[in-house]
Amino acid sequence: MSSESTNPSPRTDTRERLIEAAASLIPELGWGDVSSRRVAERAGVNTGVIHYHVGSIGELRRIAAVRKIRMFFRDRIGEALTQSDPAVAVETLLRALSASDPRDPELLLLYESLVAAGRDDQLRAETADLLAEFRQSLCDWFAARGVTRPLVVAVTLTAAIDGYLLQRSLDPSVEPGPLIDGMVGLVRQHLAPDDAGGDPADGA
């Protein structure tokens, strides 16, 4: 029946449990300590199931990390891009990124994954593709809303986010206010005159 066709298969369900288990363990234990045994215990399955459903513990960690990083940024970008004013969107995005505790599991997973990417070529490539997708989506969104140098703004914003999150992980007292002021100012500087509400500026 149709109800059977819409329900996940046992194989899909087990694979999802493994991915979620690995994703929950990475921030708890650190990248290198997420083993097949620990994932299997967290997922409630036999260790050998990992190799059947995924292939290796390294591949499972990569799948879990890239999925969660994509969700982390997608959720926050999605909320920000509901705004009509690019400057307000940037402020919304930066405040959303600042709302979580620096030791939040999502942020810890992001940090662990970025460090691991320096030693894992496949993880580095997949993470780089994800961040490039993130930059391009911002660039396209800015361009559609009258930002005159959308790529400049998108690249600067993503680099600023990366640096801010890293600094905040080391020093939780770092406040987002100065970064928000700087990035909002940059966006307004590159808005088309009609959108910025000011006189045309010389140059781009």
Side-chain angles (χ1 to χ4, degrees), residues 20-138:
E20 290 300 317
S24 70
L25 287 168
I26 291 171
E28 288 182 23
L29 305 176
W31 188 271
D33 288 332
V34 177
S35 64
S36 296
R37 177 181 60 81
R38 283 170 163 159
V39 171
E41 288 175 353
R42 177 64 58 89
V45 298
N46 294 324
T47 304
V49 169
I50 292 174
H51 305 286
Y52 173 73
H53 286 279
V54 183
S56 69
I57 187 62
E59 184 177 355
L60 177 59
R61 286 191 298 242
R62 285 193 294 272
I63 292 170
V66 171
R67 173 187 288 188
K68 291 298 182 180
I69 293 171
R70 174 174 280 109
M71 291 172 62
F72 175 82
F73 284 113
R74 184 192 63 197
D75 291 347
R76 288 155 181 81
I77 292 172
E79 178 185 356
L81 300 191
T82 61
Q83 307 294 327
S84 57
D85 182 337
V88 174
V90 167
E91 180 172 357
T92 301
L93 173 58
L94 294 175
R95 290 200 183 280
L97 291 169
S98 304
S100 300
D101 185 285
R103 307 304 294 175
D104 182 272
E106 285 186 312
L107 286 174
L108 292 176
L109 183 144
L110 174 62
Y111 305 146
E112 287 287 335
S113 302
L114 293 178
V115 171
R119 301 184 298 270
D120 184 323
D121 290 342
Q122 185 175 342
L123 177 62
R124 181 168 60 250
E126 291 181 13
T127 305
D129 286 346
L130 189 157
L131 294 176
E133 177 185 319
F134 171 37
R135 287 193 301 272
Q136 189 60 53
S137 67
L138 287 173

Side-chain angles (χ1 to χ4, degrees), residues 175-195:
E175 293 291 336
L179 176 62
I180 291 171
D181 289 346
M183 289 307 308
V184 167
L186 177 68
V187 172
R188 294 205 184 283
Q189 177 185 347
H190 291 298
L191 278 174
D194 288 343
D195 295 309

